[in-house]
Every structure is written in structure tokens, then in C-alpha cells.
Amino acid sequence: MSASLRSRVSFLQILACFTLLAAPAVAGDRALLVGVGNYQNLPAEFSLPGPANDLVAMQGLLTERFGFDRASIRVLKDGQATRAEILSSMNGWLVDATKPGDRVYLYFSGHGLQVKDVDGDEADGLDEAIAPADIAAGETDWQGAILDDEIDAVLERLKGRAVTVVIDACHSGTISRSLSEDIAKPIDGARFLPRPDAKPVEQALTRGLRIDLALVDKPKLVEAGVTAWSAAAPYQVAWDDVRLPTADRHGVFTAAFVAGQTGNAADANGNGLMSNAELLEYVKAQSASYCASQEQCGNLDPQLEGKPEALGDSAMVPEKRDADGNGQGADQNANTPNAAVPVYQAANVIDAVGDIIGKSEAGDVTLSIDRPTTMKAGEVFKLTVNSQMAGNLLLFDVSGQGKATQIFPNEFAQKITTLAPGVPLTLPDEYYGFDFEASGEGDGIFVALVVSDAVDLSDLAPIARGLKVEVDARQTLSEIVARLQKNWTEDLDTRGIHWSVGTLRYRVE
């Protein structure tokens, strides 16, 4: 590339499709809500007060915000939620009574557990499971649990529906090694049943065990359109909120999940559309806040599994409003091919960037330009990134037409190194041999992602592509953010990947 090369820095369009949307209910829509706080065959200390309140909150969410008719929602509470009745309702109420194009919602609140894997499909030798009301302890393992394999089999039969699965339980081994000296006893508020023959395990021995989805662990189900939310990452524990009086308790995750969809608190970029990515970041923040107040909580990272391109979609039909809070609104119905129900995305491509990323900007990554952010076509400029944390930088320019240019990393930089805290990086420098020049007309946005953990993103943001190729901004950012939402598994304790974002809007006239 010659010294005369001009690289316009223009940025991204974002559009996507993810969770259940609040479309008008149709005859085939079905929801199954299961909450088990009282177990028939377990001592009273294993009871959970939260699931009863969770069921009320979820029923309200589905009817008031998602448009479900009450007649389309089946609720199984405590003694009603036996293994036989749960499986019968999954197959009859959800599968047999629906058809492709219908919405299907499956929710469970109660204890999660692990049992010995009998079919060899689990790398750690344990199946994740949920505990129905009639679960019983055998000599060496639980009897009557509903396995992830059984739930997966039901989900496979729901092909073509818009399926959302929400699990407020844990499927974790953590409790056997770090939460209690007597691992056979329950921990107040913990939604996990330790195995009957559980023995203390040295923490280091669990390192390297399988880290994947809690219940939906088949990639083809995600590809088929299943969206799965869970309260905690594998090897973490979900909780009842023990800060509340016993009768008022609820699941920490469920409370945040419902609150995030009944107000505007989860709308991080304030554009009137609350996306799946924004909802995930909101429930993560609420969960982290709870853990910060509880000594035994450790890490708590709710999970979202689904197609990456759905991250920027609204979690429900957004309220229509203009910039002044009135009128027509800033959303559009994107009837993507083969979509079971309509999906809604920000009509403004620049706003959609925030919907895909989901995070609020905390000021730990800042972008600046050496001239006003409103520029004339042909003006030359430099861009500076400053991060308060060390990390690898991904820097993009997104145009109002939805195209993204990868500014960094690129082949022209003298070297690709980790950003040092508080040390600015200015692009281009004298080693590039060319300038950045504003071109075209309209709005754009620079997006800087700083990743503190050693996450390999070379396949999604290859150096060879930098400053050379325009890509679809929505697809590229969605794939990167989906990767960053996974768990960091190199530490002894499971946790989310550490990354931050900074943006800078600009306009070319």
C-alpha cells in the first residue's frame, strides 16, 4: 500500500434477531412455567421460598409484556411439578399443541444438580439436571432428576418454533469444594443439590473440566433458533435473595430478568429499544451486585446462548417513541428469512451498535480525535485510544450504511502489543506512511473494544483484514461480542471474560 492511500474511517450498521418478542399472542403460543420450592422426599432445609414468587413474576411478564394469554400458560408449582408431569407437559403442552411459527417459553425455578452421565456424552462424566418435586436421594446418586439430555430431546421436537428456555437454577460442582465444609448440607439460598455421596474435592482438581451450557448443550439447538438463558455459568451457584424476608424471597436472576424487561433500566444506550445483549449485561450487573454483598456467593455470571446475530434484537416489541419520548419511535420490524416471529431492531444503525454490544460505557476506555467530530470530506485526522486497563485492542469504524472497517489491528502498525494502562495509542503514526481521511457523508461511530484476558479473536478480527476490507458491521460485532460473553476458564474459579468498550460518534459533511 502506497503513501497516498487514504483510509476512510466509517462505521457500523447493526441489525439482529434473538429472544422471544412481545408479539400478539396466537392460538398456538404456549408457555410452561415450573417452580419447585418444596420437595416431597427431601428434608425441610432443602426448601426454597423463592420459586413461588418467581412464578408470579414470570406469569406477569409473559402476559403483560409478551402478550401471552393466561390460557396459554401452564403453571406447575411444588407438588404439581413431578418428573412425570413436567415431561408430559413439555411434550404435550409445548410440543404437540404448537406448530412451526409459534412461540414457546419454558421456565424453571428450583434446584439444579448433577448426576452420573450414563450415555458418555459429557466430558466430565456428569449430566446437568433439574430437580422435580419428587426427586429422591439414592445410595450414590439422585433418582428421578430430569436430565439435560431429556430437555434437549424435547427442544429438538420444537424445530421451527421461536423457543426461549429460562433456567433459574445451577448445575454446578462449586458447592462441593468451596461453599461448605459439610457438603451434604444445604447452603441457605443456594439453588443446588449436592450429590448424596459427594466428597470434598480439591479446588485445583476441577480445573479444566467442561465449561459449557447449563442445559442446552447441543450446538444444533442453538442453530435451530433456541434461545437459552440461565442464572449462572456451569460451576457457579444460583441463589435465592437471602437479603429479603423469607416470604418475600425470589431468585436473584429471575428478579433481574423480569425487572430488565419491565422498565428502561436495561436500555444501556437509551435509544428506547432494550436488546438481548443489553438485558444480559443488566442481569449480569445485578447478579454481581448481589454477590458483592454475600460472602459465600463468589462469581455469578448469567448466561445467554443463541445465534450471535440476535444480540442486537429487541427482547420484546419496543415502545414506539421519538427523540423527545413521543410519537413514532426508533425501531423497525426486520422480517428475516425463516424467522418464527417478527424481530425488532434499531432503525438508526449507529444506535444499533450499542444494542449489539450491550455494555454501558464506564469511561475506562476513551476515544478522541484531533479535530472536531463534525468534519468536512477530505479532512485528515488522527484517532487516539486510552484505556485504564491493560488489554488487546480491537478498533472499528462503522458507517451509517452498516459497513465496518477494522482500524486495528492491521499490518501497517509497527507492532501489535497489549495496551498499557493510561498510555494513549494514536493512529496512524509515522510508521503507517498514510493518513486517515474523512470521506463520504453522514454519521459514523468509532468502536474500541479492549479485552484484558488472552482471548483468541484472530479468526474474527484477522490482522490481514485491517484497513483493507469493509465487512458487515452487525455480523462482525455480533460474532465478537458473542465470543466475549463466554466464560474465562483459565482461572480456578469460573468467571466472565474481562473486556470494556468505548465509542466516539462523528459526522462527515
Side-chain angles (χ1 to χ4, degrees):
M1 186 172 290
S2 69
S4 63
L5 175 67
R6 305 284 185 178
S7 174
R8 182 192 188 253
V9 198
S10 63
F11 221 89
L12 170 133
Q13 170 185 9
I14 300 183
L15 310 146
C17 57
F18 213 91
T19 306
L20 271 178
L21 302 176
V26 297
D29 288 348
R30 288 289 186 271
L32 176 62
L33 308 182
V34 181
V36 187
N38 298 309
Y39 289 84
Q40 301 170 5
N41 304 313
L42 300 182
E45 57 261 33
F46 282 98
S47 65
L48 295 169
N53 295 323
D54 291 343
L55 289 175
V56 174
M58 288 299 299
Q59 194 167 13
L61 177 68
L62 291 181
T63 56
E64 296 169 16
R65 299 308 301 268
F66 285 89
F68 275 72
D69 190 281
R70 284 189 176 274
S72 69
I73 303 172
R74 176 172 291 182
V75 178
L76 300 179
K77 178 182 175 183
D78 290 338
Q80 301 170 324
T82 63
R83 171 181 164 82
E85 185 57 40
I86 293 173
L87 290 174
S88 174
S89 294
M90 286 182 182
N91 286 289
W93 184 254
L94 295 184
V95 178
D96 297 340
T98 62
K99 63 184 183 302
D102 292 338
R103 296 180 298 166
V104 172
Y105 209 106
L106 173 61
Y107 171 81
F108 177 82
S109 173
H111 278 305
L113 63 148
Q114 291 179 311
V115 295
K116 184 177 180 180
D117 172 36
V118 295
D119 60 8
D121 69 335
E122 306 286 6
D124 61 1
L126 296 171
D127 270 314
E128 282 71 48
I130 58 175
D134 55 347
I135 195 171
E139 290 186 5
T140 60
D141 218 334
W142 293 106
Q143 304 298 316
I146 297 178
L147 307 182
D148 56 353
D149 294 337
E150 295 176 289
I151 296 175
D152 287 343
V154 173
L155 296 178
E156 288 183 14
R157 296 183 60 204
L158 287 167
K159 183 178 180 180
R161 286 79 159 172
V163 181
T164 297
V165 179
V166 182
I167 305 294
D168 194 348
C170 51
H171 315 275
S172 163
T174 309
I175 206 167
S176 68
R177 61 181 168 86
S178 63
L179 289 181
S180 176
E181 294 179 358
D182 185 349
I183 59 176
K185 291 184 177 180
I187 302 298
D188 186 27
R191 296 187 167 197
F192 177 75
L193 294 177
R195 298 181 71 195
D197 66 339
K199 303 294 190 298
V201 178
E202 290 295 331
Q203 189 169 18
L205 294 180
T206 66
R207 186 169 184 173
L209 290 182
R210 179 176 68 115
I211 303 292
D212 60 8
L213 305 185
L215 281 173
V216 181
D217 58 3
K218 305 296 188 295
K220 65 181 179 180
L221 294 177
V222 171
E223 270 307 305
V226 173
T227 298
W229 295 83
S230 53
Y235 306 101
Q236 291 181 350
V237 176
W239 297 88
D240 263 18
D241 192 337
V242 299
R243 298 171 299 185
L244 301 173
T246 300
D248 298 332
R249 288 185 183 179
H250 46 65
V252 171
F253 171 78
T254 296
F257 186 74
V258 172
Q261 296 178 85
T262 54
N264 59 8
D267 183 13
N269 63 354
N271 69 334
L273 183 149
M274 192 272 295
S275 70
N276 290 289
E278 288 175 316
L279 178 58
L280 176 63
E281 292 298 328
Y282 177 79
V283 296
K284 282 187 173 183
Q286 296 302 305
S287 298
S289 177
Y290 176 79
C291 274
S293 72
Q294 302 297 311
E295 182 178 352
Q296 292 181 311
C297 186
N299 296 321
L300 187 54
D301 296 281
Q303 303 290 290
L304 170 61
E305 292 294 337
K307 293 182 177 180
E309 61 266 29
L311 286 174
D313 290 354
S314 178
M316 63 187 67
V317 174
E319 296 181 9
K320 291 184 176 296
R321 61 186 186 184
D322 58 21
D324 297 321
N326 303 299
Q328 58 195 29
D331 54 80
Q332 60 186 6
N333 183 350
N335 283 310
T336 55
N338 304 317
V341 295
V343 295
Y344 292 82
Q345 305 153 352
N348 183 297
V349 172
I350 306 304
D351 283 346
V353 173
D355 292 334
I356 290 174
I357 293 172
K359 282 181 176 284
S360 298
E361 295 185 45
D364 46 0
V365 177
T366 57
L367 286 163
S368 61
I369 195 170
D370 64 345
R371 61 184 57 256
T373 53
T374 297
M375 298 177 281
K376 300 291 185 182
E379 285 189 315
V380 172
F381 64 90
K382 293 183 182 295
L383 190 64
T384 299
V385 182
N386 198 336
S387 174
Q388 298 306 307
M389 65 177 67
N392 293 317
L393 171 66
L394 298 180
L395 180 60
F396 294 92
D397 170 34
V398 178
S399 73
Q401 290 71 48
K403 296 299 181 181
T405 300
Q406 180 178 307
I407 303 175
F408 193 88
N410 64 71
E411 292 179 327
F412 307 100
Q414 184 182 25
K415 56 183 178 179
I416 306 298
T417 60
T418 299
L419 290 180
V423 178
L425 173 67
T426 298
L427 303 170
D429 60 27
E430 63 270 22
Y431 297 100
Y432 276 51
F434 56 87
D435 298 317
F436 289 162
E437 182 181 281
S439 64
E441 292 184 355
D443 296 325
I445 185 171
F446 300 116
V447 179
L449 304 174
V450 177
V451 185
S452 297
D453 293 315
V455 181
D456 185 3
L457 297 170
S458 59
D459 58 326
L460 301 179
I463 292 176
R465 193 172 68 190
L467 296 173
K468 290 183 177 180
V469 181
E470 281 192 331
V471 296
D472 182 87
R474 176 185 183 82
Q475 178 182 350
T476 299
L477 287 184
S478 295
E479 290 176 347
I480 291 171
V481 172
R483 182 79 56 85
L484 295 177
Q485 289 173 348
K486 303 298 182 184
N487 292 317
W488 181 247
T489 60
E490 299 301 317
D491 294 340
L492 295 180
D493 290 323
T494 302
R495 61 170 176 80
I497 292 170
H498 291 158
W499 62 284
S500 294
V501 61
T503 64
L504 178 66
R505 294 186 179 223
Y506 67 90
R507 180 171 181 80
V508 178
E509 296 180 339

